Amino acid sequence: MDKKINVALLGFGNVGSGTYTAFKENCELISKKVGAEVVIKKILVRNIANARRVDAPAELFTTDFNEILNDADIQIVAELMGGIEPATEYMLKSLAAGKHVVSANKAALANALPKFNEAAKAAGCMLRYEAAVCGAIPVMGAISRALTGNEITKVSGIVNGTTNYILTRMAAEGAPYADVLADAQALGFAEADPTGDVEGFDAANKLSLLTAACFGVYIHPDDIDRTGITGVTMDDLKAAEAADCKIKLIASSEIKDGKVCASVKPIQVPAESFLGRCGSEFNAVQIDCNMAGPIFLQGKGAGPEPTGSAVAGDIIEIAQAIVNGTASKQPETAIL
Amino acid sequence: MDKKINVALLGFGNVGSGTYTAFKENCELISKKVGAEVVIKKILVRNIANARRVDAPAELFTTDFNEILNDADIQIVAELMGGIEPATEYMLKSLAAGKHVVSANKAALANALPKFNEAAKAAGCMLRYEAAVCGAIPVMGAISRALTGNEITKVSGIVNGTTNYILTRMAAEGAPYADVLADAQALGFAEADPTGDVEGFDAANKLSLLTAACFGVYIHPDDIDRTGITGVTMDDLKAAEAADCKIKLIASSEIKDGKVCASVKPIQVPAESFLGRCGSEFNAVQIDCNMAGPIFLQGKGAGPEPTGSAVAGDIIEIAQAIVNGTASKQPETAIL
């Protein structure tokens, strides 16, 4: 295949290495779909000497973002670093330089979505972030494409795996929060500082992105009514069980009196409902539509390869558009 | 809004009227997304005097397909008639005339998908058929877009509502097939001639389209190993229950020894699995991916508004592409 689309990855942690694996494993299939070879040309890391989850040729790595920014052959930048800065700066600079951007970074995107949208529009570039919300679940695509014939009336979901794991184990074992958290940390299911997950910040970031796509309204995560799971007691869990319910950390946005109301909080959901049955290894999203009725999506919300495959899907969509000469004229994911 | 995209509907039965309703109800939202007004300009019907599920202005109706074909202002034709002919002729003529085509017609599409694909390519037109497979569930979009970073290893689903209804009631009530079928017919859940549903022909059509999208391989529905539900006995259902299973009509394609194997047959699935829990009003599809793991999608697989909303979503995607000048260069749903 003569044609090449060059991609840079910013970050080579879980998501970066998962994305790399997806392209390596599914290389032939992807080339067929794109009609060009998709090549990972550069990978930005903090320290080249660090040990890696996945091997990649040493010449791909760089610690200098400008090497990527100034490389005119790199047409797509996939930002997979996490954190608000320097991710925001790198994404905005990439767009300003005419590079299309894919991101799995809910914190940075949710913090300034209108700014990213405007930067992409001004540059005639695509901005995609399927992987930022519920990992492998194709929820952003569904909302921005197949479900557009509907008015969405409500979106609600279990969008954070760590809290789902903790609540599930607390309920199943009658173990208190602190014990299960410590265990989750030891097993790598929760971070050393679990605040982002257990206080609902991560869920609020994802809900901000979901809300923008579903309702065309941007709500900063700080303005989302947010309660984490640290206050969930054994009594709460027992009361839920007695009512044939489960307590889940539900992120939810809906139209009430013409206004979008968004919240993240632990609530009772019927044990036999779609969200109630969502096992701790999965994320799940329910989208209520005025024509289609409820649409249910479930899949892995985290993990290197699931999330990496969603990043790969976005890169492939952009690469197809580049090959077809349509990349400057594709609809946005969220039309604000 | 000055810009207008004109659409013709072929057929105004359940799906046609549901599509019309979606555009009427969500008109403002759709115009905002498209950046143009989407207007249903003509509706082809067999008999103008027939009673309609939904009212539409009399001047929209025509019994002459050529009135649509020869109207240069009509850019999108939505074929919602069902049956292989004249639907196939009309779709091919529409494409040849440079009109983009949306279809909910699994029988016609599955019967000649490569021919439709080639005709669309030759004409530089878009062909979309989200509504043809599982009504409102955004499954074709997910396969052809968000999941492209994966090799799909298996797709399996409950894709026919009538048989799911019959099997669910047989199991729940211990009622024999013939009784439940008669009841389903009286309630409008099964047709007077139920063959297409109960013998698995409808499921085979959908599986042919799913297989093409997932694996890039076209299998004619007649070549799919197919068993309907007419042979399912009360003993079968009792044996399933004893094994904590349910009998569901499962349409499934997977790669075995490098070859795609497709089948439609009633089989036992664990009662607590995603497909086992799919209630009779829903369709459900599980897509197994080599990176993402399993992805589960559930929603309404039939009904005027659910199916119509999927047709509307396809029309909107095409209308956006027309407005953006990219409609002649969009990736196909199934790359064969």
Side-chain angles (χ1 to χ4, degrees), chain A residues 63-279:
Chain A
T63 57
D64 180 7
F65 173 65
N66 287 315
E67 216 181 284
I68 289 165
L69 188 67
N70 298 328
D71 184 339
D73 289 343
I74 291 175
Q75 295 172 279
I76 304 173
V77 171
E79 184 280 297
L80 316 167
M81 308 189 297
I84 288 181
E85 289 297 355
T88 298
E89 179 198 332
Y90 290 176
M91 284 197 271
L92 291 174
K93 280 188 172 165
S94 297
L95 290 168
K99 298 182 195 304
H100 307 282
V101 168
V102 172
S103 177
N105 186 337
K106 46 248 165 202
L109 289 165
N111 181 58
L113 188 64
K115 196 188 255 187
F116 287 113
N117 258 6
E118 280 159 33
K121 211 180 225 175
C125 288
M126 292 173 74
L127 169 68
R128 290 290 183 266
Y129 44 92
E130 181 65 78
V133 182
C134 299
I137 304 178
V139 62
M140 302 305 285
I143 293 167
S144 63
R145 298 277 181 53
L147 301 178
T148 49
N150 291 278
E151 183 188 346
I152 294 172
T153 53
K154 183 175 179 180
V155 61
S156 52
I158 295 168
V159 301
N160 179 275
T162 305
T163 49
N164 202 29
Y165 174 85
I166 293 173
L167 290 173
T168 303
R169 281 200 51 193
M170 284 174 71
E173 299 165 25
Y177 170 77
D179 292 5
V180 176
L181 173 63
D183 215 21
Q185 287 172 318
L187 289 164
F189 296 150
E191 294 180 51
D193 177 358
T195 312
D197 290 320
V198 301
E199 295 295 359
F201 291 102
D202 175 72
N205 288 333
K206 291 167 181 165
L207 184 61
S208 171
L209 299 177
L210 282 171
T211 302
C214 287
F215 304 108
V217 171
Y218 170 67
I219 304 179
H220 191 282
D222 289 350
D223 297 327
I224 289 175
D225 178 17
R226 178 186 46 74
T227 307
I229 65 161
T230 53
V232 176
T233 64
M234 289 313 303
D235 283 347
D236 295 333
L237 290 164
K238 278 179 198 153
E241 201 184 343
D244 280 329
C245 284
K246 304 230 182 229
I247 293 183
K248 299 281 187 184
L249 184 68
I250 300 293
S252 155
S253 279
E254 65 187 305
I255 307 269
K256 277 184 190 162
D257 303 325
K259 221 178 139 261
V260 178
C261 297
S263 69
V264 171
K265 54 190 172 196
I267 56 173
Q268 286 189 6
V269 294
E272 288 304 303
S273 67
F274 176 72
L275 294 179
R277 291 184 305 211
C278 175

Side-chain angles (χ1 to χ4, degrees), chain B residues 226-298:
Chain B
R226 179 187 45 75
T227 308
I229 65 161
T230 54
V232 175
T233 64
M234 289 312 303
D235 283 348
D236 294 334
L237 290 164
K238 278 178 199 154
E241 201 184 343
D244 279 330
C245 285
K246 303 231 182 228
I247 292 183
K248 299 281 187 184
L249 184 69
I250 300 292
S252 153
S253 278
E254 64 187 306
I255 308 270
K256 277 183 190 163
D257 303 325
K259 221 179 138 260
V260 178
C261 298
S263 69
V264 171
K265 54 189 171 195
I267 56 173
Q268 285 190 7
V269 294
E272 288 305 302
S273 67
F274 176 71
L275 294 179
R277 291 185 305 211
C278 175
S280 63
E281 70 278 31
F282 289 114
N283 279 193
V285 180
Q286 174 172 345
I287 306 164
D288 294 329
C289 300
N290 75 335
M291 295 286 138
I295 300 286
F296 306 98
L297 309 174
Q298 187 174 302

Side-chain angles (χ1 to χ4, degrees), chain A residues 26 145 149 290 296-298, chain B residues 26 145 149 290 296-298:
Chain A
N26 299 332
R145 298 277 181 53
N290 75 335
F296 306 98
L297 309 174
Q298 188 174 301
Chain B
N26 299 333
R145 298 276 182 52
N290 75 335
F296 306 98
L297 309 174
Q298 187 174 302

